[in-house]
Amino acid sequence: MLDLTYETPKPKVIAGAKQDWELVIGLEVHAQVSSNAKLFSGASTKFGAEPNSNVAFVDAGMPGMLPVINEECVAQAVRTGLGLKAKINLYSAFDRKNYFYPDLPQGYQISQLYHPIVGVGEVLVEMGSGVARTVRIERIHLEQDAGKSIHDMDPTMSFVDLNRTGVALMEIVSMPDIRGPEEAAAYVSKLRQIMRYLGTCDGNMQNGSMRADVNVSICAPGQYEKYQESGDFSHLGTRCEIKNMNSLRFIQQAIEVEAKRQIAIVEGGGTVSQETRLYDPDKGETRSMRSKEEAHDYRYFPDPDLLPLEIEQAWVDDLKAHLPELPDEKRLRFMEEFGLSDYDSGVLTADTADAAYFEEVAKGRDGKIAANWVINELFGRLKKDDDKAIGDSPVSPAQLGGIIDLIASDAISGKIAKDLFEIVYSEGGDPSEIVEARGMKQVTDLGPIEAALDEIIAANPAQVEKVKENPKLAGWFVGQVMKATGGKANPKAVNELVAKKLAG
C-alpha cells in the first residue's frame, strides 16, 4: 500500500489594526445515529412524519416511564469510534444534564459526561494535494436529542414537535487542532464522509441529521506552539461557542466574523467573555445567546434509571471485523490498484456511490481511462443536469464500460465516443448496437483514407509546400481528412499517412 506523507497546512492569519492574529478552533459535531428507533424508546426516527406522531410515552416524559437502551445505537457509536481510530471504552455510563429544554418534556437530557462510550481518536483532514492536518478527537458520547419549537405558525403561540425528542445523537468532540475556517469545513465534511461510509449517520445537514457547535478563539503568533508544548490552555484566547451550525458555508463565514469581533475587542483593550453565540447570516454577525455554562452549572449526576453500560471486547472486535473499507483506505487502494493520482482518487472516493460506480466501470479495464470518463464526462454531465447524484445517472456502469471498450478496440475514436456518450445519456441503449445502427464505426481501411488525403493534397499544393518548410503544420491535413470522412477516420492512421506522404 502506498505510504503518503503530508505537509501541515499553515494557520489562518487575520491582520488586526495593531498586529496579526491566528485562529484556534475546536468543534462539537452532533451526528444523528442511523437507526430505526430512538435511543431509549421504540419510537420511529423517520424524518418528515406528522408532528408528534413518532413519540413514545418515555419521550413524552410520562410518569413512571423508564428508558431502555437501544443496542443498535450503541453499536453505531462503536462503529463510528472504530472508523475514527478511537479507543472504545468497554465501560461507559449515562448522566442527567439538568437544563431548561422547552421541547424536552422530562426536563433534563440523558447524556454521557464522565464516562463516554468512545475515547481519543483522530481524523486526517486533507486540504489539497500533499497537504493535510490530523485532528485529534477527544471523545464521542451518546445522548438524546431535544424536540423542535416552532414559533412562526401563530402570532401569539409557539408549537412543539416532539418527533426528534429522544433520537440518538453522537457528540463528536475535537481538540482545538483546527487553524482556519476552510479547515473547519473540511473537517466536518470528512467526518460526514466517514460516517456515510460506515452507515452510522446520513450526514444530511439540511434535515438536522448533522450540526456543529464551533468554538473559536484567537491568539498571537507563537502562542499556539506554547500550548502544544505545555498543554496549558492559558496560552490561547478565551473561546466563544457558535451554536447549531448546519451549513459548511455558514461555518466558514461565522468563524471569520467571530474572529474579527474578538480581535476588535482585544485590540480595543477589552476582554472576550466566554459565551454561547448565534450566527446571523443575513446580518453577517454573531450575537450573544447566553453566558457559557460549565459542567457544574448543569448539575450532572448519574442517571438512576440506567445501569452503567458494559460491553465485551469480543463484541467490539466483531464490529471491527465487519467494518466496510473506509475512504482513506479506498483512496490509497485506487491509487495503487488503478494508478490514479491522489486528486482523482479523492474525487472518486468522496462518496460511496461514486466509488462503487467507478469500480464497476474499471473492472477489467484501464483504470486511468475509466477514471477520466467517470470524472470528466459523467460527473461533468451530471453537474450540468441540475447537479444529479450518481444514483440518478441515466448511464449505467455497463453502458459507460461499453463505450470505453469500443474505444479500446478501435471501433470508434475518442471524438465519436463523446457523441456516443451523449446519445446514451439522452436516449439510452446499448453502445455497440447504437454504433452499428447509426454507422458510427471509425474507418480503419486505409484505402478510403488515403484516397481522401490524396485528393486534399492535390487541391492544396501551396499548403503542401508550407508543410515541407514547417512539418508542424501537417495537422491541417489531418483535420481536413477527418472532416472529409465525417470524423470517422482512425486519427492514428491519418497521422501516419500524412507524415508518410508529406515527408521531405
Side-chain angles (χ1 to χ4, degrees):
M1 197 59 98
L2 293 171
D3 181 24
L4 296 182
T5 54
Y6 294 95
E7 179 186 339
T8 303
K10 291 182 170 58
K12 170 85 173 182
V13 176
I14 297 180
K18 298 180 179 178
Q19 66 171 80
D20 287 344
W21 297 89
E22 292 180 358
L23 302 186
V24 181
I25 302 158
L27 282 96
E28 298 164 13
V29 173
H30 299 263
Q32 179 178 325
V33 173
S34 293
S35 64
N36 293 327
K38 296 181 180 181
L39 183 56
F40 298 117
S41 82
S44 171
T45 59
K46 187 176 180 182
F47 180 80
E50 285 293 312
N52 297 307
S53 59
N54 294 345
V55 186
F57 287 134
V58 69
D59 305 322
M62 293 296 181
M65 296 297 104
L66 297 176
V68 178
I69 190 74
N70 180 341
E71 183 179 334
E72 177 58 17
C73 293
V74 176
Q76 292 287 59
V78 171
R79 289 186 187 103
T80 302
L82 292 169
L84 299 180
K85 302 181 181 125
K87 179 181 185 295
I88 306 302
N89 295 322
L90 301 182
Y91 175 95
S92 62
F94 289 95
D95 306 290
R96 286 188 183 180
K97 180 181 181 182
N98 293 276
Y99 179 75
F100 174 67
Y101 296 91
D103 38 29
L104 195 55
Q106 62 205 30
Y108 54 84
Q109 181 189 38
I110 302 176
S111 183
Q112 293 184 314
L113 174 67
Y114 302 109
H115 303 286
I117 190 163
V118 177
V120 175
E122 64 180 38
V123 55
L124 183 71
V125 181
E126 298 90 348
M127 296 302 299
S129 183
V131 180
R133 186 185 301 282
T134 298
V135 176
R136 293 169 297 161
I137 303 297
E138 180 185 326
R139 57 187 277 145
I140 302 175
H141 61 260
L142 277 169
E143 63 185 21
Q144 59 180 167
D145 202 356
K148 182 180 180 183
S149 296
I150 303 161
H151 308 293
D152 56 1
M153 289 178 64
D154 187 277
T156 59
M157 293 188 292
S158 289
F159 294 80
V160 175
D161 180 5
L162 298 180
N163 279 350
R164 288 191 64 88
T165 303
V167 166
L169 296 179
M170 294 177 286
E171 183 168 336
I172 305 168
V173 182
S174 83
M175 295 293 286
D177 291 347
I178 300 163
R179 306 303 310 282
E182 296 80 10
E183 277 187 40
Y187 165 76
V188 174
S189 183
K190 185 63 178 284
L191 277 184
R192 180 172 62 183
Q193 181 195 32
I194 291 170
M195 288 189 287
R196 281 177 170 170
Y197 265 72
L198 290 165
T200 57
C201 174
D202 66 23
N204 191 324
M205 298 182 84
Q206 288 181 319
N207 292 351
S209 297
M210 191 170 168
R211 51 196 190 267
D213 298 339
V214 185
N215 291 284
V216 181
S217 66
I218 59 170
C219 67
Q223 291 299 109
Y224 186 80
E225 287 70 24
K226 290 181 181 177
Y227 150 71
Q228 282 188 311
E229 290 171 10
S230 64
D232 184 354
F233 285 95
S234 67
H235 293 295
L236 306 179
T238 301
R239 75 183 191 276
C240 290
E241 179 184 54
I242 310 168
K243 199 77 175 167
N244 288 332
M245 304 297 298
N246 65 350
S247 154
L248 297 180
R249 182 164 57 94
F250 288 164
I251 284 173
Q252 293 183 69
Q253 291 175 2
I255 290 170
E256 288 268 6
V257 166
E258 176 59 22
K260 288 175 181 176
R261 184 190 75 87
Q262 292 182 22
I263 290 168
I265 290 172
V266 174
E267 291 195 338
T271 302
V272 175
S273 299
Q274 184 175 331
E275 61 182 348
T276 299
R277 301 181 68 84
L278 294 174
Y279 175 62
D280 186 334
D282 295 325
K283 294 182 179 179
E285 64 181 24
T286 63
R287 62 173 183 269
S288 183
M289 179 183 177
R290 62 175 184 262
S291 60
K292 178 66 177 171
E293 293 87 354
E294 300 294 344
H296 62 262
D297 294 317
Y298 292 116
R299 292 175 289 118
Y300 279 99
F301 63 87
D303 192 298
D305 294 332
L306 289 160
L307 289 169
L309 189 60
E310 295 187 26
I311 57 179
E312 295 179 352
Q313 185 62 50
W315 185 68
V316 174
D317 293 341
D318 184 60
L319 290 176
K320 186 175 184 178
H322 291 91
L323 289 182
E325 185 179 36
L326 293 172
D328 287 348
E329 298 162 358
K330 192 178 289 288
R331 182 170 54 85
L332 289 173
R333 180 170 64 80
F334 279 10
M335 292 172 68
E336 187 177 64
E337 190 173 321
F338 300 112
L340 304 184
S341 68
D342 188 11
Y343 174 80
D344 285 351
S345 294
V347 171
L348 291 167
T349 57
D351 182 83
T352 51
D354 292 350
Y357 186 102
F358 163 72
E359 286 213 79
E360 194 65 32
V361 174
K363 197 178 292 180
R365 301 184 178 96
D366 185 297
K368 288 183 179 178
I369 293 173
N372 183 54
W373 274 89
V374 172
I375 294 171
N376 297 324
E377 301 303 324
L378 181 62
F379 286 178
R381 188 66 176 80
L382 290 171
K383 190 167 185 65
K384 283 183 188 174
D385 197 0
D386 297 326
D387 220 358
K388 274 186 178 174
I390 195 74
D392 299 320
S393 170
V395 180
S396 70
Q399 287 172 314
L400 187 55
I403 294 172
I404 295 170
D405 290 342
L406 289 167
I407 301 169
S409 67
D410 278 340
I412 59 174
S413 65
K415 182 182 181 304
I416 295 172
K418 291 189 178 183
D419 296 336
L420 175 61
F421 174 83
E422 187 57 39
I423 293 168
V424 174
Y425 190 96
S426 304
E427 303 171 24
D430 181 89
S432 59
E433 290 176 7
I434 293 169
V435 166
E436 287 289 346
R438 304 197 186 191
M440 297 174 74
K441 271 193 173 180
Q442 77 177 346
V443 178
T444 53
D445 183 357
L446 293 181
I449 298 174
E450 191 168 6
L453 177 57
D454 288 342
E455 197 174 310
I456 293 164
I457 288 173
N460 297 277
Q463 192 69 22
V464 171
E465 291 304 315
K466 287 181 182 178
V467 172
K468 286 181 178 178
E469 292 174 15
N470 184 1
K472 291 181 180 178
L473 298 176
W476 183 85
F477 283 96
V478 174
Q480 292 301 306
V481 173
M482 295 302 294
K483 188 176 178 182
T485 58
K488 293 180 183 177
N490 185 313
K492 185 181 176 186
V494 175
N495 272 287
E496 289 174 353
L497 270 176
V498 168
K500 180 181 175 185
K501 285 189 175 283
L502 298 181

